[in-house]
Amino acid sequence: DGFKPVWHWEEYGSSLSGHGADWDRNWVNENSALPASWDHSTMHMHKLNHLRFYIPYMRVFRDLDNIIFLDDDLIIQGDVQAAWKAKDILPKEHVMVGSCKVWKYSDHSGTFAPRENAMYFDSTALAMAGRPEEETFCNSNLTEFCVNKNHYTNLYRRFDEINGGKLDFETQKEWNYGFSLLDLKAWREKELTAVYENWMHANYEDHIFCETSLMYGLGIAFLAFYDHVSCWESLTNSEFVVRDGLGFVTYPEIVFSGTDVSFVTETEVLHYDGFYKPWTPFTDTFFAIPYLKTLEGQTFQEYKSLLLNPETASKHDDFEDKFIVLADSDVDVNDYLRIFNQNPEVCLTTNHADWDRANYPQDLFVPYDDSKTFINENGFMRNMCCFSFVDHWLRHFEKDGLAYCSGTAGPDTREQIDLSIEASGIAGHIPRLCDWIGMNGGGAHNSSKLFTQFFQKFFRGDSSQSPCRCLSFSKVVGAFVRAKWILAGEEDGLPWWQNIASVRPKIIHLKSQSHKHTIKRISEKQEKIEHKLQELGLTVLPVDTKKCSSSDSGCYKRFEKFLSLEHFHAYRI
């Protein structure tokens, strides 16, 4: 029908630097939007991403008025008949029905949270992300995920030329293409493929969005389909439900946001949009179940009971091995932990760069007063994964916690606790704190008992009281511990050595570079630790961090051999 697909254009690929998904800084001009550091993938410019916009003119679909479009990362759990019926109630000006329930990152909780009425204004696909225009301009302090000075002026001008009328970011809902109903007849009548191509021409002429950005892959689609998309939820009165985000949102975030397993069980379609597809090692353990069971030939009704079982979301199969990364006081552990945790068979407490929102944090056992995270960011979901945070707040609710959690507290007590919760910003943690209180019968708080429960649950892979957990591919589980934490904890009555003796983890001991030159007091403490390890008969791998640096790939081979793991060849050192 006279169309030459975008990937055959001479300009296609012109924004790239020639190095994978890297974009060319020299391509940028005053009209450009600069993507965030996380926003760089060639999938946004892949020919299949463009092909969707030529569907009405493909030979196999040319004589059809309507089709249902499915991405390749979907699981269908229900009858799609309700979706097909939506073609009869689609508004005249609309050519598509898509999912409009999106997830937005919350700086308060450090997690993604659901948004039902997110607009283009809220979208990262159009560089705004809920910020006023003046806050999105690039400057010396804002050098990524920002726009240059002529970006909006040019965008408004182009919109008037191509679409006709005024672009208003606050009148259009965000939508997702994943599972959609397309009215091909109306699409052809409105010539939306030509509109899409006009936006692509404008993008290459004006250098608006680089090709490896979400802004190019989805933002241009938002502009081309402006005023032409309906939402499944509103159009069908929620008779047909599509759940997006399963490729980047984690199940603990679902729970933390106030939702439950119904997010997965009361929906016709699951969409694993994002980088962590269910067939990858870093997928969410719980969200992988529908995919894995579908591969086994099970229907939704057959695996639904597994999803509804409370233990499924919190239990991990027994680990092949357990270990502790024990570090002397002056050892910089960050790179060791970050790099070794890249191995998909390793679940290690760390500040991990990938999928870090529900991974066990590095400060799992750090004393409360030593962690600025707890003090400044009480609302962060991952704080609930840390022993001293749980211990601190259970002490706070010791007197009236059981009555509050059971709903039997008097109005004055409840109001007082509610005000305390609001002031401290820990509302999202209350359900799990109540779980801990209930598990211990609401009696007097006992830090020693809590520590044993917490320690044993972690090494068993039991995350029933924690929003953090190991990935499904993990074969070994490990915790990072500073030697001084053990010594300080023992002084405070925490049964460190009893629990280590019970679990009997292997010990990777990162020894101080200046061990022989430290003052006597510190040396005595380190010797005390080493003596206790010998006394317990634990298997220890001593690591001289001066000889075995975090940038030495040979170190990680030693760690792997020590833990009986296959060698992982993709460490990013």
Side-chain angles (χ1 to χ4, degrees), residues 140-184:
S140 59
N141 296 318
L142 185 63
T143 58
E144 65 171 48
F145 195 38
C146 58
V147 303
N148 285 336
K149 60 182 180 181
N150 198 50
H151 175 77
Y152 293 113
T153 299
N154 182 65
L155 208 61
Y156 292 136
R157 177 180 65 85
R158 283 294 195 175
F159 185 86
D160 187 39
E161 290 176 1
I162 298 170
N163 297 66
K166 182 181 179 181
L167 170 60
D168 188 341
F169 292 100
E170 299 192 55
T171 64
Q172 304 293 304
K173 283 190 177 183
E174 280 193 73
W175 49 268
N176 192 297
Y177 222 133
F179 182 98
S180 51
L181 172 71
L182 305 181
D183 186 332
L184 303 185

Side-chain angles (χ1 to χ4, degrees), residues 64-83:
L64 299 180
D65 289 341
N66 303 93
I67 66 168
I68 288 179
F69 175 90
L70 292 82
D71 266 349
D72 60 358
D73 53 0
L74 301 173
I75 295 292
I76 307 299
Q77 297 190 144
D79 188 350
V80 299
Q81 191 65 234

Side-chain angles (χ1 to χ4, degrees), residues 199-482:
W199 270 110
M200 279 292 161
H201 282 300
N203 191 69
Y204 286 116
E205 291 169 8
D206 300 347
H207 296 205
I208 305 171
F209 304 127
C210 67
E211 293 159 293
T212 56
S213 70
L214 179 66
M215 296 178 282
Y216 177 91
L218 184 58
I220 292 178
F222 280 176
L223 295 170
F225 280 65
Y226 188 97
D227 262 348
H228 296 303
V229 178
S230 288
C231 302
W232 284 118
E233 296 79 12
S234 56
L235 190 66
T236 68
N237 291 318
S238 297
E239 290 183 14
F240 190 83
V241 179
V242 178
R243 301 293 195 199
D244 292 313
L246 276 72
F248 63 92
V249 175
T250 65
Y251 185 70
E253 288 174 296
I254 299 291
V255 177
F256 195 76
S257 68
T259 313
D260 55 25
V261 69
S262 63
F263 180 84
V264 182
T265 58
E266 296 181 11
T267 178
E268 281 71 30
V269 180
L270 300 175
H271 185 199
Y272 295 85
D273 53 319
F275 290 106
Y276 302 118
K277 307 300 184 187
W279 52 85
T280 63
F282 295 103
T283 186
D284 179 272
T285 310
F286 188 74
F287 288 159
I289 293 172
Y291 169 76
L292 296 173
K293 294 303 178 183
T294 300
L295 287 188
E296 293 174 7
Q298 291 191 23
T299 65
F300 169 62
Q301 293 303 325
E302 290 174 314
Y303 64 74
K304 182 178 180 179
S305 59
L306 180 63
L307 295 174
L308 292 173
N309 185 338
E311 290 190 359
T312 302
S314 61
K315 197 170 178 61
H316 192 290
D317 293 334
D318 290 338
F319 295 104
E320 295 178 6
D321 227 332
K322 304 170 181 66
F323 69 102
I324 285 176
V325 176
L326 178 65
D328 288 346
S329 298
D330 63 346
V331 175
D332 185 354
V333 300
N334 290 330
D335 284 341
Y336 289 103
L337 301 179
R338 175 184 58 81
I339 294 170
F340 194 40
N341 202 35
Q342 293 169 12
N343 188 325
E345 294 184 340
V346 175
C347 176
L348 175 59
T349 62
T350 176
N351 291 329
H352 197 283
D354 297 324
W355 202 78
D356 63 352
R357 300 182 310 279
N359 272 349
Y360 283 103
Q362 179 173 307
D363 42 11
L364 185 73
F365 290 109
V366 68
Y368 187 84
D369 292 339
D370 288 358
S371 178
K372 294 179 181 178
T373 302
F374 302 155
I375 298 169
N376 298 329
E377 299 172 345
N378 279 338
F380 263 45
M381 181 182 77
R382 289 210 308 170
N383 287 350
M384 192 65 198
C385 307
C386 303
F387 165 73
S388 60
F389 182 84
V390 176
D391 183 52
H392 172 85
W393 285 107
L394 289 186
R395 288 174 185 270
H396 190 76
F397 292 115
E398 180 176 7
K399 181 180 178 183
D400 301 303
L402 185 61
Y404 178 83
C405 293
S406 64
T408 59
D412 292 341
T413 298
R414 185 162 193 90
E415 182 180 2
Q416 184 178 0
I417 294 180
D418 283 342
L419 290 173
S420 176
I421 290 171
E422 183 179 353
S424 57
I426 64 162
H429 299 299
I430 295 303
R432 282 195 166 93
L433 288 172
C434 285
D435 284 346
W436 281 109
I437 291 172
M439 188 174 73
N440 289 304
H445 178 65
N446 185 318
S447 294
S448 176
K449 180 181 178 181
L450 176 68
F451 182 84
T452 295
Q453 293 171 333
F454 192 95
F455 193 96
Q456 299 289 332
K457 276 177 171 289
F458 170 73
F459 281 105
R460 285 200 310 268
D462 180 352
S463 60
S464 54
Q465 268 80 40
S466 170
C468 296
R469 56 206 175 134
C470 295
L471 299 174
S472 56
F473 284 71
S474 304
K475 292 184 178 179
V476 297
V477 59
F480 161 63
V481 178
R482 288 272 184 201

Side-chain angles (χ1 to χ4, degrees), residues 39-221:
D39 187 10
H40 53 91
S41 173
T42 54
M43 72 177 182
H44 298 306
M45 62 179 296
H46 195 282
K47 63 178 66 176
L48 290 179
N49 198 53
H50 288 294
L51 186 62
R52 297 177 292 186
F53 300 94
Y54 296 95
I55 286 176
Y57 302 100
M58 295 171 65
R59 185 179 296 112
V60 68
F61 302 124
R62 190 174 294 162
D63 297 327
L64 299 180
D65 289 341
N66 303 93
I67 66 168
I68 288 179
F69 175 90
L70 292 82
D71 266 349
D72 60 358
D73 53 0
L74 301 173
I75 295 292
I76 307 299
Q77 297 190 144
D79 188 350
V80 299
Q81 191 65 234
W84 185 245
K85 291 178 181 178
K87 63 183 173 53
D88 299 322
I89 56 175
L90 188 64
K92 184 177 180 180
E93 291 301 313
H94 291 188
V95 303
M96 171 182 165
V97 190
S99 174
C100 301
K101 284 191 174 183
V102 299
W103 292 83
K104 295 295 180 185
Y105 186 77
S106 168
D107 290 328
H108 171 70
S109 64
T111 67
F112 281 92
R115 285 281 299 276
E116 293 199 23
N117 294 302
M119 300 295 179
Y120 283 9
F121 171 76
D122 303 297
S123 179
T124 54
L126 286 169
M128 301 195 79
R131 301 174 295 178
E133 287 185 14
E134 60 271 16
E135 293 182 12
T136 65
F137 288 112
C138 301
N139 55 53
S140 59
N141 296 318
L142 185 63
T143 58
E144 65 171 48
F145 195 38
C146 58
V147 303
N148 285 336
K149 60 182 180 181
N150 198 50
H151 175 77
Y152 293 113
T153 299
N154 182 65
L155 208 61
Y156 292 136
R157 177 180 65 85
R158 283 294 195 175
F159 185 86
D160 187 39
E161 290 176 1
I162 298 170
N163 297 66
K166 182 181 179 181
L167 170 60
D168 188 341
F169 292 100
E170 299 192 55
T171 64
Q172 304 293 304
K173 283 190 177 183
E174 280 193 73
W175 49 268
N176 192 297
Y177 222 133
F179 182 98
S180 51
L181 172 71
L182 305 181
D183 186 332
L184 303 185
K185 182 180 179 182
W187 184 322
R188 298 184 196 103
E189 290 174 352
K190 299 181 189 310
E191 300 180 332
L192 289 185
T193 298
V195 173
Y196 178 74
E197 285 200 340
N198 286 338
W199 270 110
M200 279 292 161
H201 282 300
N203 191 69
Y204 286 116
E205 291 169 8
D206 300 347
H207 296 205
I208 305 171
F209 304 127
C210 67
E211 293 159 293
T212 56
S213 70
L214 179 66
M215 296 178 282
Y216 177 91
L218 184 58
I220 292 178

